[in-house]
Amino acid sequence: MRSSRLLRALRLGVGSLLLHKLRSTLTTLGVLFGVASVIAMLAVAEGASEQAQEQIRQLGSTNVILRSVKPPEDLVSNQETRVLAYGLTREDLERIRGTYPGLRAVVPVLDTPQEVRYLEHVCSPHVQCVPPEYLEVTGRVLHAGRFLAAADERAYAQVCVLSYEIARYLFPFEPALGKRVKIGADYFEVVGVTIGRVPIGQIHIDPGQEVAGDVFLPLATGRKIFGERQVRVRSGTMDITEVELHEIIVGVRETVDVPFIAAACRAMLASEHPRKDYEVVVPLELLIRERETKRIFSIVLGSIAGISLLVGGIGIMNVMLATVTERTREIGVRRALGAKRRHIVSQFLIETIVLSGAGGLAGVALGLAVPWWIEYKSGMRTIVTPQAPLLAFAISVGTGVIFGLYPAWRAASMDPVEALRHE
Amino acid sequence: MTLLGSSTPQQKLGAQPVAELRDVTRVYTMGETEVRALDGISHAFQHGEYWSIMGSSGSGKSTLLNILGCIDRPTAGDYFVRGRGVADLDDDELSELRGRELGFVFQSYNLIPQLDVLENIMVPVLYLDDVPPEAEDRARSLAERVGLIDRLDHRPAQLSGGQQQRVAIARALINDPALILADEATGNLDTRTAEEILELFDELHEEGKTILLVTHEEEVGRRAEKTLRLRDGRVAEVGENR
Ligand SMILES: Nc1ncnc2c1ncn2[C@@H]1O[C@H](COP(=O)(O)OP(=O)(O)OP(=O)(O)O)[C@@H](O)[C@H]1O
Ligand SMILES: [Mg+2]
């Protein structure tokens, strides 16, 4: 009996709203776009933040990364060819190793800008000369074969490890392991393939298009063959730099020690490198900053969401006030026929709830479709958390109730005689 | 033939008036000016009586009917429905009383446009605390009674004035009220249609209903059993017709 009463009330509410289809639709649209934009914005923000955090995590949240940075150009003359020496030194590496014995690993990285070639496939990946500990410290994962070993270092072995993208590019139709690729002027045997930075399923490689990826060589081998001079030919000019180490990755054992080690490294480098030819990247700090950014972003988004729903709510209130005025006589008749105040209140509240609920539901549908579409079209990552649609829907119905209360109360408190006299 | 009758023996005895006014006064205050729309009216309407309330425009007929219909309260004096004092009732109780004991028929029909005929007849039922299960059957038989059984799913806009008024009468009867109040119920209708409505009232009267019919048309007023004539908010004359 009760449920059939509610059903009937709902049906009557819908019926009254359908008397003014355009008006009801427009009001619903206000709520719809509010709800949809809230869900979509949250999904995009969540996706972007998740992506950023993932990238930071890939740097290793217990690492402190020291990087060589080219000092400001004002010291450099305008020669055709120039040799610019800067950056981190092996001395820095030894000093860090000597000062903080409790570290998990201190891993030097030397870049060498070489072309990598197999038959007719040529590319210019990020060629890095690294010791075996590199894999563990950066948390990279092997896809096939093995990583560089200590024995390779000792033997100056001419071996290399490719990242998945490069392996796919150089060897589209055959396994890379055991093949010999040409790096610069020398041949290196592929002993392993690591998983790329991008999830494997999302890589599409067009033949002939430049690919980004990594090639790893043993540090000793790389230093012996290519030295510490990096020659890049750029639009006719030769760009020669001399950098002993491009990166030093300091792996800290405990997360709590990261800020301390980072501060110590900064202090040490500041005194040794007055030219400021280095930077210190602390993924943990970035992660914390990213979370803070996300929090602020959420607050801003929340306010925008609140405003858009407020606008929707005002729309509902406006329409309901008009409806109440328009139906003054009906209210009088119902009161004369025995309707209590609460019957009138619930009649109009049900109408606002139907309005805002319909807008909310449609908004949820649109709000789920938009992130999907964005992801499909632009490849941007979006994440719809399960709370987002629920929250948006609940808030939309809540606004409906809050903004519907006043018109409903106005309707219920009308004097029946006056209402009946209303034209 | 008593299709709709359900009067109890005590009521038949007339032990208690259906509606009783005791020195009822209604004053409208608008800023400085006061209008005494009703000025000390005392009268009792007995069970089964058919009254017309007459008087010139502004004599207070509608005001009296609003008070009799419990949508307005007297400024002074007492009003009793079946012995219950209306002054003691709060808004909810008054609404309940209207729904159960009173049936309204308005000059401009006042059907609810978005509801069909059956739903309109059922409106007073929806506001009862406990909906009687046989209400819909009753609504159907009332629709049949007023000759609209084949129009149940029509909207008011699809009906003629006379048909709408008959729906309104069926609606007034759905809760088997003690008193039917009609304010200029034939005012918007042509003579022939008005005649049909008046015949319906005659039948209801024969079935034992208590009817109060406000009108300013002498011809209509004479159809009732008795006439209460107002002048300037006072009872000017109480008379029997024929
Ligand atoms: N809401 C009101 N405010 C102020 N004065 C009112 C109000 N309603 C009625 N009156 C006054 O009370 C008096 C009686 O009015 P009422 O409507 O009862 O007359 P009536 O007999 O129904 O007239 P009619 O035949 O024209 O309908 C009139 O002088 C009218 O101006
Ligand atoms: Mg009147």
mmCIF file of all heavy atoms in Angstrom, chain A residues 5 8 11-12 16 19 327 329-330 333-341 343 417 420, chain B residues 66 71 91-92 95-96 98-99 104 108 110 112 114-115 119 124 126-129 131 171:
data_model
loop_
_atom_site.group_PDB
_atom_site.id
_atom_site.type_symbol
_atom_site.label_atom_id
_atom_site.label_comp_id
_atom_site.label_asym_id
_atom_site.label_seq_id
_atom_site.Cartn_x
_atom_site.Cartn_y
_atom_site.Cartn_z
ATOM 1 N N ARG A 5 1.497 3.897 -3.067
ATOM 2 C CA ARG A 5 1.221 5.312 -2.880
ATOM 3 C C ARG A 5 2.377 6.158 -3.399
ATOM 4 O O ARG A 5 2.196 7.143 -4.105
ATOM 5 C CB ARG A 5 1.064 5.595 -1.384
ATOM 6 C CG ARG A 5 -0.101 6.489 -1.067
ATOM 7 C CD ARG A 5 -0.157 6.673 0.420
ATOM 8 N NE ARG A 5 -1.502 6.442 0.870
ATOM 9 C CZ ARG A 5 -2.115 7.245 1.743
ATOM 10 N NH1 ARG A 5 -1.477 8.243 2.277
ATOM 11 N NH2 ARG A 5 -3.330 7.008 2.097
ATOM 12 N N ARG A 8 2.492 6.053 -7.104
ATOM 13 C CA ARG A 8 1.479 6.912 -7.690
ATOM 14 C C ARG A 8 1.921 8.369 -7.610
ATOM 15 O O ARG A 8 1.813 9.128 -8.567
ATOM 16 C CB ARG A 8 0.154 6.717 -6.963
ATOM 17 C CG ARG A 8 -0.997 7.422 -7.638
ATOM 18 C CD ARG A 8 -2.296 6.977 -7.067
ATOM 19 N NE ARG A 8 -2.219 6.888 -5.627
ATOM 20 C CZ ARG A 8 -2.904 6.007 -4.904
ATOM 21 N NH1 ARG A 8 -3.698 5.157 -5.487
ATOM 22 N NH2 ARG A 8 -2.788 5.987 -3.590
ATOM 23 N N ARG A 11 4.446 8.970 -10.186
ATOM 24 C CA ARG A 11 3.854 9.010 -11.518
ATOM 25 C C ARG A 11 3.158 10.355 -11.741
ATOM 26 O O ARG A 11 3.294 10.971 -12.795
ATOM 27 C CB ARG A 11 2.854 7.861 -11.661
ATOM 28 C CG ARG A 11 2.527 7.486 -13.085
ATOM 29 C CD ARG A 11 1.743 6.187 -13.102
ATOM 30 N NE ARG A 11 0.560 6.231 -12.258
ATOM 31 C CZ ARG A 11 -0.567 6.850 -12.597
ATOM 32 N NH1 ARG A 11 -0.668 7.440 -13.756
ATOM 33 N NH2 ARG A 11 -1.591 6.854 -11.772
ATOM 34 N N LEU A 12 2.465 10.811 -10.691
ATOM 35 C CA LEU A 12 1.787 12.104 -10.803
ATOM 36 C C LEU A 12 2.795 13.234 -10.962
ATOM 37 O O LEU A 12 2.590 14.157 -11.743
ATOM 38 C CB LEU A 12 0.921 12.357 -9.572
ATOM 39 C CG LEU A 12 -0.340 11.503 -9.492
ATOM 40 C CD1 LEU A 12 -1.145 11.887 -8.270
ATOM 41 C CD2 LEU A 12 -1.173 11.669 -10.741
ATOM 42 N N SER A 16 2.934 15.815 -14.015
ATOM 43 C CA SER A 16 2.873 17.273 -13.940
ATOM 44 C C SER A 16 4.053 17.892 -14.673
ATOM 45 O O SER A 16 3.911 18.910 -15.344
ATOM 46 C CB SER A 16 2.903 17.729 -12.483
ATOM 47 O OG SER A 16 1.886 17.092 -11.777
ATOM 48 N N LEU A 19 3.735 18.100 -18.358
ATOM 49 C CA LEU A 19 2.864 19.148 -18.885
ATOM 50 C C LEU A 19 3.696 20.288 -19.459
ATOM 51 O O LEU A 19 3.263 21.006 -20.341
ATOM 52 C CB LEU A 19 1.964 19.697 -17.778
ATOM 53 C CG LEU A 19 0.782 18.838 -17.376
ATOM 54 C CD1 LEU A 19 -0.035 19.572 -16.336
ATOM 55 C CD2 LEU A 19 -0.084 18.502 -18.574
ATOM 56 N N ARG A 327 0.162 27.001 -10.252
ATOM 57 C CA ARG A 327 -0.789 25.997 -9.802
ATOM 58 C C ARG A 327 -1.427 26.365 -8.469
ATOM 59 O O ARG A 327 -1.911 25.491 -7.743
ATOM 60 C CB ARG A 327 -0.089 24.646 -9.717
ATOM 61 C CG ARG A 327 0.112 24.087 -11.127
ATOM 62 C CD ARG A 327 1.208 23.107 -11.205
ATOM 63 N NE ARG A 327 0.915 21.895 -10.463
ATOM 64 C CZ ARG A 327 1.771 20.919 -10.301
ATOM 65 N NH1 ARG A 327 2.961 21.004 -10.826
ATOM 66 N NH2 ARG A 327 1.444 19.856 -9.604
ATOM 67 N N ARG A 329 -4.214 27.681 -7.810
ATOM 68 C CA ARG A 329 -5.598 27.257 -7.740
ATOM 69 C C ARG A 329 -5.699 25.758 -7.466
ATOM 70 O O ARG A 329 -6.492 25.326 -6.632
ATOM 71 C CB ARG A 329 -6.280 27.602 -9.063
ATOM 72 C CG ARG A 329 -7.746 27.765 -8.920
ATOM 73 C CD ARG A 329 -8.338 28.026 -10.272
ATOM 74 N NE ARG A 329 -9.775 27.974 -10.139
ATOM 75 C CZ ARG A 329 -10.517 29.027 -9.854
ATOM 76 N NH1 ARG A 329 -9.954 30.196 -9.678
ATOM 77 N NH2 ARG A 329 -11.815 28.902 -9.738
ATOM 78 N N GLU A 330 -4.841 24.998 -8.145
ATOM 79 C CA GLU A 330 -4.825 23.552 -7.907
ATOM 80 C C GLU A 330 -4.512 23.264 -6.436
ATOM 81 O O GLU A 330 -5.120 22.378 -5.825
ATOM 82 C CB GLU A 330 -3.770 22.890 -8.805
ATOM 83 C CG GLU A 330 -3.656 21.384 -8.555
ATOM 84 C CD GLU A 330 -2.438 20.771 -9.224
ATOM 85 O OE1 GLU A 330 -2.069 21.219 -10.324
ATOM 86 O OE2 GLU A 330 -1.868 19.833 -8.629
ATOM 87 N N VAL A 333 -7.585 23.890 -4.452
ATOM 88 C CA VAL A 333 -8.556 22.807 -4.644
ATOM 89 C C VAL A 333 -8.156 21.587 -3.823
ATOM 90 O O VAL A 333 -8.968 21.000 -3.096
ATOM 91 C CB VAL A 333 -8.654 22.425 -6.141
ATOM 92 C CG1 VAL A 333 -9.518 21.192 -6.311
ATOM 93 C CG2 VAL A 333 -9.200 23.584 -6.947
ATOM 94 N N ARG A 334 -6.886 21.235 -3.903
ATOM 95 C CA ARG A 334 -6.439 20.046 -3.171
ATOM 96 C C ARG A 334 -6.629 20.223 -1.668
ATOM 97 O O ARG A 334 -7.030 19.305 -0.969
ATOM 98 C CB ARG A 334 -4.969 19.756 -3.489
ATOM 99 C CG ARG A 334 -4.766 19.177 -4.894
ATOM 100 C CD ARG A 334 -3.303 18.839 -5.118
ATOM 101 N NE ARG A 334 -3.018 18.432 -6.482
ATOM 102 C CZ ARG A 334 -3.040 17.171 -6.902
ATOM 103 N NH1 ARG A 334 -3.328 16.197 -6.061
ATOM 104 N NH2 ARG A 334 -2.760 16.886 -8.153
ATOM 105 N N ARG A 335 -6.310 21.452 -1.193
ATOM 106 C CA ARG A 335 -6.489 21.719 0.230
ATOM 107 C C ARG A 335 -7.972 21.587 0.590
ATOM 108 O O ARG A 335 -8.325 21.000 1.605
ATOM 109 C CB ARG A 335 -5.984 23.125 0.569
ATOM 110 C CG ARG A 335 -4.489 23.283 0.431
ATOM 111 C CD ARG A 335 -3.734 22.702 1.591
ATOM 112 N NE ARG A 335 -3.660 23.639 2.698
ATOM 113 C CZ ARG A 335 -3.780 23.290 3.968
ATOM 114 N NH1 ARG A 335 -4.022 22.040 4.273
ATOM 115 N NH2 ARG A 335 -3.680 24.188 4.922
ATOM 116 N N ALA A 336 -8.860 22.118 -0.250
ATOM 117 C CA ALA A 336 -10.296 22.034 0.031
ATOM 118 C C ALA A 336 -10.763 20.581 0.035
ATOM 119 O O ALA A 336 -11.675 20.211 0.770
ATOM 120 C CB ALA A 336 -11.075 22.832 -1.004
ATOM 121 N N LEU A 337 -10.099 19.750 -0.765
ATOM 122 C CA LEU A 337 -10.511 18.353 -0.857
ATOM 123 C C LEU A 337 -9.861 17.483 0.210
ATOM 124 O O LEU A 337 -9.976 16.266 0.177
ATOM 125 C CB LEU A 337 -10.168 17.798 -2.241
ATOM 126 C CG LEU A 337 -10.869 18.495 -3.411
ATOM 127 C CD1 LEU A 337 -10.460 17.865 -4.717
ATOM 128 C CD2 LEU A 337 -12.376 18.464 -3.244
ATOM 129 N N GLY A 338 -9.133 18.123 1.137
ATOM 130 C CA GLY A 338 -8.628 17.370 2.281
ATOM 131 C C GLY A 338 -7.127 17.207 2.354
ATOM 132 O O GLY A 338 -6.629 16.546 3.262
ATOM 133 N N ALA A 339 -6.367 17.795 1.407
ATOM 134 C CA ALA A 339 -4.915 17.657 1.452
ATOM 135 C C ALA A 339 -4.364 18.405 2.651
ATOM 136 O O ALA A 339 -4.742 19.550 2.901
ATOM 137 C CB ALA A 339 -4.300 18.183 0.168
ATOM 138 N N LYS A 340 -3.483 17.746 3.402
ATOM 139 C CA LYS A 340 -2.808 18.425 4.506
ATOM 140 C C LYS A 340 -1.595 19.137 3.954
ATOM 141 O O LYS A 340 -1.174 18.888 2.829
ATOM 142 C CB LYS A 340 -2.392 17.401 5.557
ATOM 143 C CG LYS A 340 -3.618 16.715 6.129
ATOM 144 C CD LYS A 340 -3.262 15.696 7.185
ATOM 145 C CE LYS A 340 -4.540 15.130 7.758
ATOM 146 N NZ LYS A 340 -4.650 13.689 7.633
ATOM 147 N N ARG A 341 -1.014 20.007 4.802
ATOM 148 C CA ARG A 341 0.160 20.759 4.338
ATOM 149 C C ARG A 341 1.248 19.822 3.868
ATOM 150 O O ARG A 341 1.884 20.028 2.853
ATOM 151 C CB ARG A 341 0.701 21.645 5.464
ATOM 152 C CG ARG A 341 -0.209 22.819 5.715
ATOM 153 C CD ARG A 341 0.584 24.015 6.257
ATOM 154 N NE ARG A 341 -0.274 25.181 6.243
ATOM 155 C CZ ARG A 341 -0.729 25.781 7.348
ATOM 156 N NH1 ARG A 341 -0.364 25.346 8.536
ATOM 157 N NH2 ARG A 341 -1.514 26.820 7.250
ATOM 158 N N HIS A 343 1.010 16.953 2.581
ATOM 159 C CA HIS A 343 0.728 16.372 1.266
ATOM 160 C C HIS A 343 1.184 17.307 0.153
ATOM 161 O O HIS A 343 1.762 16.867 -0.843
ATOM 162 C CB HIS A 343 -0.776 16.117 1.095
ATOM 163 C CG HIS A 343 -1.292 15.012 1.966
ATOM 164 N ND1 HIS A 343 -2.369 15.164 2.806
ATOM 165 C CD2 HIS A 343 -0.871 13.737 2.122
ATOM 166 C CE1 HIS A 343 -2.594 14.036 3.451
ATOM 167 N NE2 HIS A 343 -1.700 13.150 3.054
ATOM 168 N N VAL A 417 -8.454 29.730 0.857
ATOM 169 C CA VAL A 417 -9.445 30.621 0.268
ATOM 170 C C VAL A 417 -8.801 31.498 -0.802
ATOM 171 O O VAL A 417 -9.295 31.614 -1.922
ATOM 172 C CB VAL A 417 -10.108 31.494 1.354
ATOM 173 C CG1 VAL A 417 -11.119 32.427 0.730
ATOM 174 C CG2 VAL A 417 -10.764 30.607 2.401
ATOM 175 N N LEU A 420 -7.886 29.461 -3.838
ATOM 176 C CA LEU A 420 -9.031 29.107 -4.678
ATOM 177 C C LEU A 420 -9.500 30.289 -5.513
ATOM 178 O O LEU A 420 -10.036 30.123 -6.599
ATOM 179 C CB LEU A 420 -10.186 28.628 -3.800
ATOM 180 C CG LEU A 420 -10.148 27.156 -3.429
ATOM 181 C CD1 LEU A 420 -11.191 26.842 -2.391
ATOM 182 C CD2 LEU A 420 -10.354 26.296 -4.672
ATOM 183 N N ASN B 66 -17.378 29.410 2.660
ATOM 184 C CA ASN B 66 -15.994 29.090 3.026
ATOM 185 C C ASN B 66 -15.906 28.639 4.476
ATOM 186 O O ASN B 66 -15.159 27.720 4.813
ATOM 187 C CB ASN B 66 -15.083 30.303 2.812
ATOM 188 C CG ASN B 66 -14.885 30.600 1.334
ATOM 189 O OD1 ASN B 66 -15.131 29.741 0.483
ATOM 190 N ND2 ASN B 66 -14.464 31.812 1.031
ATOM 191 N N ILE B 71 -12.654 26.000 5.110
ATOM 192 C CA ILE B 71 -11.406 26.523 4.555
ATOM 193 C C ILE B 71 -11.165 27.928 5.082
ATOM 194 O O ILE B 71 -10.134 28.523 4.826
ATOM 195 C CB ILE B 71 -11.383 26.500 3.003
ATOM 196 C CG1 ILE B 71 -12.615 27.172 2.417
ATOM 197 C CG2 ILE B 71 -11.269 25.074 2.492
ATOM 198 C CD1 ILE B 71 -12.595 27.230 0.908
ATOM 199 N N ASP B 91 -4.675 22.702 11.790
ATOM 200 C CA ASP B 91 -4.743 22.687 10.324
ATOM 201 C C ASP B 91 -4.916 21.276 9.758
ATOM 202 O O ASP B 91 -5.710 21.051 8.850
ATOM 203 C CB ASP B 91 -3.475 23.328 9.754
ATOM 204 C CG ASP B 91 -3.633 23.642 8.282
ATOM 205 O OD1 ASP B 91 -4.222 24.689 7.973
ATOM 206 O OD2 ASP B 91 -3.189 22.831 7.448
ATOM 207 N N ASP B 92 -4.165 20.323 10.332
ATOM 208 C CA ASP B 92 -4.257 18.943 9.835
ATOM 209 C C ASP B 92 -5.633 18.345 10.092
ATOM 210 O O ASP B 92 -6.213 17.687 9.232
ATOM 211 C CB ASP B 92 -3.196 18.062 10.509
ATOM 212 C CG ASP B 92 -1.875 18.134 9.767
ATOM 213 O OD1 ASP B 92 -1.766 18.954 8.831
ATOM 214 O OD2 ASP B 92 -0.959 17.368 10.123
ATOM 215 N N SER B 95 -8.097 19.747 7.747
ATOM 216 C CA SER B 95 -7.962 19.134 6.419
ATOM 217 C C SER B 95 -8.654 17.773 6.403
ATOM 218 O O SER B 95 -9.375 17.429 5.462
ATOM 219 C CB SER B 95 -6.487 18.964 6.059
ATOM 220 O OG SER B 95 -5.819 20.195 6.095
ATOM 221 N N GLU B 96 -8.414 17.016 7.461
ATOM 222 C CA GLU B 96 -9.013 15.686 7.581
ATOM 223 C C GLU B 96 -10.549 15.795 7.559
ATOM 224 O O GLU B 96 -11.241 15.046 6.869
ATOM 225 C CB GLU B 96 -8.526 15.057 8.906
ATOM 226 C CG GLU B 96 -9.005 13.647 9.161
ATOM 227 C CD GLU B 96 -8.188 12.609 8.403
ATOM 228 O OE1 GLU B 96 -7.059 12.928 7.993
ATOM 229 O OE2 GLU B 96 -8.710 11.503 8.219
ATOM 230 N N ARG B 98 -12.354 18.243 6.270
ATOM 231 C CA ARG B 98 -12.803 18.607 4.920
ATOM 232 C C ARG B 98 -12.875 17.379 4.037
ATOM 233 O O ARG B 98 -13.831 17.166 3.304
ATOM 234 C CB ARG B 98 -11.831 19.612 4.282
ATOM 235 C CG ARG B 98 -11.906 21.003 4.841
ATOM 236 C CD ARG B 98 -11.220 21.989 3.906
ATOM 237 N NE ARG B 98 -9.771 21.811 3.837
ATOM 238 C CZ ARG B 98 -8.915 22.481 4.596
ATOM 239 N NH1 ARG B 98 -9.345 23.360 5.487
ATOM 240 N NH2 ARG B 98 -7.621 22.282 4.472
ATOM 241 N N GLY B 99 -11.807 16.573 4.107
ATOM 242 C CA GLY B 99 -11.747 15.403 3.243
ATOM 243 C C GLY B 99 -12.852 14.402 3.538
ATOM 244 O O GLY B 99 -13.417 13.799 2.629
ATOM 245 N N PHE B 104 -16.988 19.554 -1.968
ATOM 246 C CA PHE B 104 -17.084 20.855 -2.623
ATOM 247 C C PHE B 104 -17.447 20.718 -4.090
ATOM 248 O O PHE B 104 -16.910 19.871 -4.791
ATOM 249 C CB PHE B 104 -15.736 21.581 -2.552
ATOM 250 C CG PHE B 104 -15.423 22.144 -1.192
ATOM 251 C CD1 PHE B 104 -14.783 21.366 -0.234
ATOM 252 C CD2 PHE B 104 -15.750 23.453 -0.888
ATOM 253 C CE1 PHE B 104 -14.479 21.885 1.004
ATOM 254 C CE2 PHE B 104 -15.446 23.975 0.355
ATOM 255 C CZ PHE B 104 -14.817 23.189 1.307
ATOM 256 N N SER B 108 -16.331 27.035 -11.147
ATOM 257 C CA SER B 108 -15.495 26.756 -12.329
ATOM 258 C C SER B 108 -14.916 25.336 -12.270
ATOM 259 O O SER B 108 -13.780 25.112 -12.657
ATOM 260 C CB SER B 108 -14.399 27.796 -12.444
ATOM 261 O OG SER B 108 -13.805 27.999 -11.175
ATOM 262 N N ASN B 110 -12.993 23.324 -11.276
ATOM 263 C CA ASN B 110 -11.748 23.097 -10.543
ATOM 264 C C ASN B 110 -11.296 21.650 -10.543
ATOM 265 O O ASN B 110 -10.873 21.114 -9.518
ATOM 266 C CB ASN B 110 -11.875 23.588 -9.095
ATOM 267 C CG ASN B 110 -11.695 25.086 -8.999
ATOM 268 O OD1 ASN B 110 -11.171 25.702 -9.920
ATOM 269 N ND2 ASN B 110 -12.147 25.668 -7.910
ATOM 270 N N ILE B 112 -8.466 18.861 -11.681
ATOM 271 C CA ILE B 112 -7.016 18.993 -11.817
ATOM 272 C C ILE B 112 -6.628 18.563 -13.232
ATOM 273 O O ILE B 112 -6.887 17.426 -13.632
ATOM 274 C CB ILE B 112 -6.304 18.188 -10.721
ATOM 275 C CG1 ILE B 112 -6.625 18.871 -9.379
ATOM 276 C CG2 ILE B 112 -4.808 18.145 -10.952
ATOM 277 C CD1 ILE B 112 -6.253 18.083 -8.183
ATOM 278 N N GLN B 114 -4.051 17.775 -15.030
ATOM 279 C CA GLN B 114 -3.163 16.695 -15.467
ATOM 280 C C GLN B 114 -3.699 15.307 -15.108
ATOM 281 O O GLN B 114 -3.102 14.300 -15.462
ATOM 282 C CB GLN B 114 -1.736 16.892 -14.929
ATOM 283 C CG GLN B 114 -1.591 16.910 -13.424
ATOM 284 C CD GLN B 114 -1.678 18.321 -12.865
ATOM 285 O OE1 GLN B 114 -2.402 19.160 -13.382
ATOM 286 N NE2 GLN B 114 -0.947 18.586 -11.809
ATOM 287 N N LEU B 115 -4.838 15.251 -14.403
ATOM 288 C CA LEU B 115 -5.408 13.957 -14.027
ATOM 289 C C LEU B 115 -6.602 13.626 -14.917
ATOM 290 O O LEU B 115 -7.320 14.523 -15.350
ATOM 291 C CB LEU B 115 -5.872 14.001 -12.562
ATOM 292 C CG LEU B 115 -4.823 14.403 -11.533
ATOM 293 C CD1 LEU B 115 -5.419 14.335 -10.134
ATOM 294 C CD2 LEU B 115 -3.592 13.523 -11.624
ATOM 295 N N GLU B 119 -9.027 9.607 -11.937
ATOM 296 C CA GLU B 119 -8.077 10.121 -10.948
ATOM 297 C C GLU B 119 -8.629 11.359 -10.247
ATOM 298 O O GLU B 119 -8.440 11.538 -9.039
ATOM 299 C CB GLU B 119 -6.745 10.458 -11.628
ATOM 300 C CG GLU B 119 -5.975 9.225 -12.060
ATOM 301 C CD GLU B 119 -4.826 9.538 -13.014
ATOM 302 O OE1 GLU B 119 -4.904 10.556 -13.731
ATOM 303 O OE2 GLU B 119 -3.877 8.757 -13.049
ATOM 304 N N PRO B 124 -9.884 13.118 -3.382
ATOM 305 C CA PRO B 124 -10.105 13.210 -1.926
ATOM 306 C C PRO B 124 -9.738 11.923 -1.187
ATOM 307 O O PRO B 124 -9.413 11.958 -0.003
ATOM 308 C CB PRO B 124 -11.615 13.481 -1.821
ATOM 309 C CG PRO B 124 -11.995 14.056 -3.140
ATOM 310 C CD PRO B 124 -11.124 13.359 -4.143
ATOM 311 N N LEU B 126 -7.089 10.093 -1.824
ATOM 312 C CA LEU B 126 -5.632 10.010 -1.679
ATOM 313 C C LEU B 126 -5.150 10.665 -0.394
ATOM 314 O O LEU B 126 -4.090 10.336 0.107
ATOM 315 C CB LEU B 126 -4.949 10.695 -2.865
ATOM 316 C CG LEU B 126 -5.330 10.167 -4.235
ATOM 317 C CD1 LEU B 126 -4.526 10.868 -5.311
ATOM 318 C CD2 LEU B 126 -5.091 8.669 -4.297
ATOM 319 N N TYR B 127 -5.945 11.609 0.110
ATOM 320 C CA TYR B 127 -5.483 12.329 1.285
ATOM 321 C C TYR B 127 -6.005 11.740 2.582
ATOM 322 O O TYR B 127 -5.727 12.259 3.652
ATOM 323 C CB TYR B 127 -5.866 13.805 1.159
ATOM 324 C CG TYR B 127 -5.213 14.452 -0.033
ATOM 325 C CD1 TYR B 127 -5.937 15.112 -0.995
ATOM 326 C CD2 TYR B 127 -3.830 14.370 -0.187
ATOM 327 C CE1 TYR B 127 -5.326 15.684 -2.096
ATOM 328 C CE2 TYR B 127 -3.202 14.929 -1.276
ATOM 329 C CZ TYR B 127 -3.951 15.582 -2.232
ATOM 330 O OH TYR B 127 -3.328 16.139 -3.309
ATOM 331 N N LEU B 128 -6.763 10.660 2.506
ATOM 332 C CA LEU B 128 -7.186 9.989 3.732
ATOM 333 C C LEU B 128 -6.003 9.220 4.301
ATOM 334 O O LEU B 128 -5.142 8.753 3.557
ATOM 335 C CB LEU B 128 -8.329 9.014 3.432
ATOM 336 C CG LEU B 128 -9.632 9.643 2.925
ATOM 337 C CD1 LEU B 128 -10.670 8.559 2.699
ATOM 338 C CD2 LEU B 128 -10.146 10.676 3.911
ATOM 339 N N ASP B 129 -5.972 9.099 5.626
ATOM 340 C CA ASP B 129 -4.848 8.390 6.238
ATOM 341 C C ASP B 129 -4.856 6.924 5.841
ATOM 342 O O ASP B 129 -3.817 6.326 5.611
ATOM 343 C CB ASP B 129 -4.891 8.546 7.758
ATOM 344 C CG ASP B 129 -4.381 9.929 8.156
ATOM 345 O OD1 ASP B 129 -3.621 10.511 7.350
ATOM 346 O OD2 ASP B 129 -4.746 10.413 9.235
ATOM 347 N N VAL B 131 -6.481 4.544 3.001
ATOM 348 C CA VAL B 131 -7.260 4.506 1.772
ATOM 349 C C VAL B 131 -8.119 3.247 1.772
ATOM 350 O O VAL B 131 -7.594 2.144 1.880
ATOM 351 C CB VAL B 131 -6.324 4.495 0.552
ATOM 352 C CG1 VAL B 131 -7.121 4.407 -0.740
ATOM 353 C CG2 VAL B 131 -5.446 5.739 0.546
ATOM 354 N N ARG B 171 -16.608 13.644 -7.568
ATOM 355 C CA ARG B 171 -15.476 13.829 -6.678
ATOM 356 C C ARG B 171 -15.956 14.254 -5.290
ATOM 357 O O ARG B 171 -15.433 13.806 -4.268
ATOM 358 C CB ARG B 171 -14.537 14.888 -7.269
ATOM 359 C CG ARG B 171 -13.351 15.224 -6.393
ATOM 360 C CD ARG B 171 -12.423 16.198 -7.070
ATOM 361 N NE ARG B 171 -13.010 17.543 -7.145
ATOM 362 C CZ ARG B 171 -12.415 18.582 -7.716
ATOM 363 N NH1 ARG B 171 -11.230 18.439 -8.279
ATOM 364 N NH2 ARG B 171 -12.998 19.764 -7.741
#
